[in-house]
Amino acid sequence: MIRRVLPHGLGRGLLTRRPGTRRGGFSLDWDGKVSEIKKKIKSILPGTSCDLLPDTSHLPPEHSDVVIVGGGVLGLSVAYWLKQLENRRGGMRVLVVERDHTYSQASTGLSVGGICQQFSLPENIQLSLFSASFLRNINEYLAVTNAPPLDLQFNPSGYLLLASEKDAAAMESNVKVQKQEGAKVCLMSPDQLRNKFPWINTEGVALASYGMENEGWFDPWCLLQGLRQKVASMGVFFCQGEVTRFVTSSQSMLTTDDEIVILKRIHEVHVKMDHSLEYQPVECSIVINAAGAWSAQIAALAGIGKGPPGTLQGTKLPVEPRKRYVYVWHCPQGPGLETPLVADTSGAYFRREGLGSNYLGGRSPTEEEEPDPANLEVDHDFFQEKVWPHLALRVPAFETLKVQTAWAGYYDYNTFDQNGVVGPHPLVVNMYFATGFSGHGLQQAPGVGRAVAEMILEGSFQTIDLSRFLFNRFYLGEKTQENNIM
Amino acid sequence: MWDLVLGDRRINSLRLVAPMWNGTRGIHRLGGAVVPEGNQKKERTILQFLTNHFYDVEALRGYLLQREMCKVHLKNRFRDKEWIRPDKYGHFSPEFWNFREVPVEAVDASDCEINYEGLDNLLLLKELQSLSLQRCPHVDDWCLSRLYPLADSLQELSLAGCPRVSERGLACLHHLQNLRRLDISDLPAVSNPGLTQILVEEMLPNCQVVGVDWAEGLKLGPEEQPQDTASPVPA
């Protein structure tokens, strides 16, 4: 009603005052101004979107309690557990900042998707066991009203690790630790191997360990989408942008030995939008570095590693991107339905993919062969020269195979000891790490997410103690080495 | 040691040891009722002669015969009562507790709401020969990966109609090397039933896999196209 009346009133009111007659030479675009004023008044009235203020819907909020840098499986897992374990519903505002919403280079989507408990460290075994139970009950954890249940396409076929003479003793002690922690792993001799898997050539194999339960592979995209959906339904904010700056403040404190320590605190995170110079400063109290292969850059922004080498200020985050190739091939006479994920003595691994005699696999290159991580181009010669010979030796049927496709992805490789970095930084007190898992981040994501959330909310690890994964070890030089990396 | 505690899950019936008539050479020898064969002829006639002439020998033979009969009856005590079924309220009779030491050979858990944790109870049955999990709504691929402890004894497994079992779970049945009969019919979650059946048959060579007709899902070849009555017949 008012809308219909208003133009009348305005029109009549303005028409009575002839434009340009009052002040000579005064050329105002009255018609344009009139329509602008009409639009503004219309936008104030309910029913249309308010165009008075500039549109900021693509920008992150100005304040957020927790900012998670990186929206891959680890970042989303931390967001999920923060929301799951917070004491009051809606008590914490969590913002996830992800640079690339297509996840084209993110390690999660490009992963082979395996989960296994055959590690040498008890903490890793515990994390994997918890993740297996998380995945098994994923529809209870990640249930969203009116959404269909998730189908992870889990293949419970297990992992088969082969060891040569020199690694056999280490494998035996590892299996003992694994059994103690509750993993269902058994040792097999070459004869038993030949019995069970007739397509294997056991030359050079002294011992094998085979996971019977809770091991296999699944679809990482499904987990990522499930987490994203659930986390959005729990009220977590998402933003597509890049973190370019941290605004910090420092404080000098004295230790009990009267040494001066400079503690830093991050106050603001500047999130820059894609393809523009526009940025939004987000005021926050906790920052979580879950940026995967690019974690070191984020850490450097906060001043981690800027100092004389050998001191705590000068200890950088030793995580760098390493490129790994995955090849898919077709072999009609290859191993059958029962094939586990086989990891050879040479480091080459393969598994079945689907029902149609397709397999995928690869091999971690040695330090000298490390490819340049600047891009994700695939080197097919690497397969011909470094992967195929080992595969053909181990499984004679693979002598005749045909490569269908291949892709490359990054490991967030911890050059110090190939294990994750979890927990707060000793000097930048409100930055928490959840990165550096060197190829087994996907399978440990649920457990690590819970551990970081516990650290933030309770102040210490409650369920799985990951104190050995804290940042301090890089300065103190204590390696928590993981021996079974693929 | 096997017990019935399954929480509030219902198990339909359990079958105890099958009837036995064998192992009774002793009876024939003692009873003397069988026509003696070749080399035992002489032995039998001496024994028969002694029995006819001495009460002690006769009594001894009678006593030993009684002992053998008791053994056979013990083995046959479940004849016609092999399956223990719940009554209409779903309760099992308390006489069940008398059979604690008897090994359970077959479990029929069809339509039962058994889940991953519930399988803890079934995996304790070290002599289980036949397991039927037909139409169980919560049995999925994770549950199938738990069945390997039964590999030594399990001979028959039925998964017909389980809505959550897919070909990925069937892959971990290869541990069950003593399996002789596997029923994988009517599994809606299996993407390609014919191909899956072939792969499972290759995986378990000694097992008879019942389920799908392998030709299901194959399209008719060009020669077998149904005749189109509208098209003109070539002269």
Side-chain angles (χ1 to χ4, degrees):
Chain A
M1 243 272 306
I2 301 180
R3 273 200 206 104
R4 266 184 263 127
V5 164
L6 220 43
H8 274 301
L10 276 175
R12 226 183 288 133
L14 284 167
L15 279 172
T16 52
R17 231 184 258 192
R18 253 172 220 111
T21 50
R22 278 213 162 190
R23 297 140 140 217
F26 192 66
S27 56
L28 282 175
D29 177 21
W30 269 120
D31 285 331
K33 280 274 157 92
V34 158
S35 53
E36 248 181 77
I37 292 174
K38 273 195 232 171
K39 243 198 286 179
K40 279 199 182 158
I41 292 179
K42 261 196 212 166
S43 69
I44 294 174
L45 294 171
T48 53
S49 63
C50 181
D51 295 326
L52 280 183
L53 304 167
D55 179 21
T56 56
S57 53
H58 58 289
L59 291 176
E62 289 179 8
H63 310 271
S64 174
D65 295 306
V66 179
V67 174
I68 301 180
V69 182
V73 69
L74 269 174
L76 291 179
S77 174
V78 175
Y80 169 77
W81 284 106
L82 275 174
K83 278 295 180 182
Q84 187 79 355
L85 299 176
E86 66 186 357
N87 293 324
R88 268 175 82 163
R89 189 173 341 179
M92 213 180 216
R93 180 184 284 189
V94 180
L95 169 70
V96 174
V97 179
E98 168 59 45
R99 186 167 60 175
D100 177 11
H101 72 269
T102 59
Y103 292 93
S104 54
Q105 294 195 327
S107 308
T108 306
L110 299 168
S111 155
V112 163
I115 175 169
C116 87
Q117 281 91 47
Q118 298 185 44
F119 293 105
S120 51
L121 279 178
E123 286 93 346
N124 278 337
I125 303 172
Q126 288 294 332
L127 283 172
S128 244
L129 277 172
F130 174 70
S131 299
S133 78
F134 183 90
L135 294 175
R136 187 171 63 239
N137 297 315
I138 195 168
N139 283 310
E140 286 167 26
Y141 282 106
L142 302 186
V144 176
T145 10
N146 289 340
L150 294 168
D151 180 15
L152 275 181
Q153 314 255 325
F154 180 68
N155 286 61
S157 299
Y159 268 52
L160 179 72
L161 264 54
L162 304 175
S164 54
E165 276 290 339
K166 61 180 177 61
D167 298 324
M171 174 176 272
E172 237 185 286
S173 62
N174 284 347
V175 170
K176 213 159 119 201
V177 174
Q178 287 151 24
K179 281 192 177 154
Q180 258 174 348
E181 296 293 325
K184 307 278 191 300
V185 185
C186 71
L187 284 168
M188 294 173 79
S189 67
D191 285 325
Q192 287 170 323
L193 257 188
R194 268 192 297 271
N195 252 340
K196 208 160 181 88
F197 305 117
W199 37 263
I200 264 194
N201 167 19
T202 53
E203 179 192 328
V205 174
L207 194 60
S209 69
Y210 185 32
M212 317 279 270
E213 267 189 67
N214 290 331
E215 293 195 358
W217 56 92
F218 61 96
D219 178 16
W221 265 115
C222 181
L223 177 62
L224 190 68
Q225 294 309 317
L227 273 171
R228 238 191 118 95
Q229 217 180 19
K230 176 67 177 175
V231 141
S233 82
M234 287 165 122
V236 166
F237 289 75
F238 277 96
C239 169
Q240 188 194 343
E242 188 179 344
V243 170
T244 46
R245 193 176 162 214
F246 290 123
V247 172
T248 58
S249 74
S250 309
Q251 198 180 12
S252 233
M253 309 199 69
L254 279 179
T255 65
T256 46
D257 305 323
D258 281 338
E259 280 172 31
I260 296 183
V261 182
I262 300 179
L263 296 178
K264 261 188 175 179
R265 223 192 156 82
I266 301 177
H267 289 283
E268 269 183 19
V269 178
H270 285 198
V271 180
K272 179 180 103 66
M273 298 296 118
D274 266 352
H275 308 301
S276 87
L277 289 174
E278 194 185 4
Y279 73 90
Q280 166 79 300
V282 180
E283 207 178 315
C284 64
S285 65
I286 292 176
V287 174
I288 298 182
N289 185 351
W294 302 275
S295 311
Q297 293 168 17
I298 301 293
L301 282 179
I304 294 174
K306 291 209 178 85
T311 58
L312 190 50
Q313 296 96 307
T315 318
K316 296 198 190 8
L317 180 69
V319 173
E320 56 180 53
R322 291 278 175 103
K323 188 156 82 160
R324 294 286 178 267
Y325 303 114
V326 178
Y327 304 93
V328 182
W329 63 88
H330 175 75
C331 178
Q333 303 302 325
L337 197 59
E338 75 278 5
T339 314
L341 197 152
V342 181
D344 185 31
T345 48
S346 59
Y349 65 90
F350 73 92
R351 65 160 173 86
R352 266 189 83 103
E353 172 65 34
L355 285 176
S357 294
N358 290 319
Y359 302 83
L360 64 81
R363 179 168 176 247
S364 283
T366 56
E367 288 289 341
E368 302 85 41
E369 300 164 339
E370 277 291 344
D372 177 22
N375 58 32
L376 285 180
E377 302 286 325
V378 177
D379 180 7
H380 292 278
D381 294 329
F382 183 75
F383 182 77
Q384 297 282 358
E385 291 157 31
K386 308 278 192 224
V387 185
W388 194 358
H390 299 285
L391 289 175
L393 174 63
R394 192 55 61 208
V395 181
F398 282 160
E399 273 161 26
T400 51
L401 57 78
K402 189 154 180 264
V403 176
Q404 306 279 350
T405 174
W407 69 83
Y410 291 121
Y411 273 14
D412 47 346
Y413 195 80
N414 181 347
T415 50
F416 187 72
D417 56 12
Q418 288 85 59
N419 259 322
V421 190
V422 179
H425 189 272
L427 295 180
V428 181
V429 291
N430 60 351
M431 172 172 271
Y432 290 76
F433 294 103
T435 178
F437 287 94
S438 320
H440 46 266
L442 175 67
Q443 61 181 287
Q444 295 182 335
V448 168
R450 188 175 61 166
V452 173
E454 284 166 359
M455 190 54 147
I456 292 174
L457 296 168
E458 320 273 344
S460 63
F461 297 118
Q462 304 286 326
T463 42
I464 304 177
D465 184 14
L466 298 180
S467 321
R468 278 163 76 169
F469 290 4
L470 288 171
F471 186 93
N472 285 332
R473 70 188 200 268
F474 303 134
Y475 169 62
L476 298 171
E478 293 165 358
K479 290 195 179 191
T480 39
Q481 190 76 33
E482 173 57 57
N483 299 323
N484 284 354
I485 296 277
M486 275 182 279
Chain B
M1 190 54 191
W2 139 94
D3 60 10
L4 236 198
V5 178
L6 289 147
D8 53 355
R9 308 271 178 247
R10 297 261 170 267
I11 288 262
N12 285 347
S13 42
L14 300 119
R15 191 181 74 195
L16 303 166
V17 179
M20 287 184 59
W21 282 121
N22 302 327
T24 55
R25 264 195 65 205
I27 289 192
H28 294 163
R29 196 173 66 229
L30 296 167
V34 140
V35 175
E37 307 123 7
N39 20 12
Q40 284 153 344
K41 210 171 178 175
K42 223 177 166 181
E43 223 176 80
R44 293 268 164 94
T45 46
I46 293 179
L47 201 55
Q48 200 57 41
F49 176 75
L50 284 176
T51 314
N52 294 340
H53 283 75
F54 297 106
Y55 285 122
D56 303 332
V57 176
E58 191 185 347
L60 182 68
R61 277 187 93 189
Y63 168 71
L64 290 174
L65 175 65
Q66 281 302 315
R67 273 224 328 226
E68 288 295 326
M69 292 292 290
C70 279
K71 274 196 218 164
V72 173
H73 280 143
L74 194 71
K75 291 213 165 110
N76 285 347
R77 64 196 152 137
F78 297 117
R79 202 158 79 95
D80 298 332
K81 287 189 291 176
E82 297 157 353
W83 285 98
I84 310 262
R85 295 192 165 84
D87 59 19
K88 63 171 176 172
Y89 299 111
H91 300 145
F92 288 89
S93 91
E95 292 160 352
F96 202 13
W97 289 104
N98 302 334
F99 303 140
R100 269 191 192 157
E101 284 79 31
V102 180
V104 176
E105 271 191 0
V107 169
D108 179 8
S110 308
D111 306 296
C112 175
E113 304 220 354
I114 193 166
N115 66 358
Y116 183 87
E117 283 83 15
L119 280 181
D120 278 343
N121 301 294
L122 287 186
L123 297 177
L124 296 172
L125 303 171
K126 289 298 168 215
E127 295 187 38
L128 194 65
Q129 288 177 14
S130 161
L131 178 59
S132 169
L133 292 169
Q134 296 185 17
R135 299 175 300 278
C136 291
H138 301 302
V139 165
D140 59 1
D141 298 335
W142 294 87
C143 296
L144 291 188
S145 76
R146 286 198 86 183
L147 292 181
Y148 65 89
L150 300 172
D152 294 328
S153 58
L154 198 67
Q155 291 176 8
E156 187 182 336
L157 176 63
S158 172
L159 297 168
C162 289
R164 293 203 192 175
V165 170
S166 74
E167 65 270 18
R168 300 176 286 274
L170 294 179
C172 37
L173 293 182
H174 82 278
H175 293 282
L176 307 173
Q177 285 299 325
N178 282 326
L179 209 59
R180 296 290 169 257
R181 203 184 131 81
L182 174 64
D183 185 353
I184 49 171
S185 49
D186 190 28
L187 290 174
V190 168
S191 52
N192 195 334
L195 182 54
T196 308
Q197 165 129 1
I198 295 177
L199 289 171
V200 170
E201 281 174 1
E202 273 178 32
M203 187 171 85
L204 293 169
N206 299 329
C207 180
Q208 179 203 8
V209 180
V210 171
V212 198
D213 183 14
W214 68 266
E216 185 183 306
L218 295 179
K219 289 205 273 253
L220 290 172
E223 317 80 53
E224 295 160 17
Q225 291 291 351
Q227 295 292 334
D228 187 1
T229 48
S231 61
V233 178

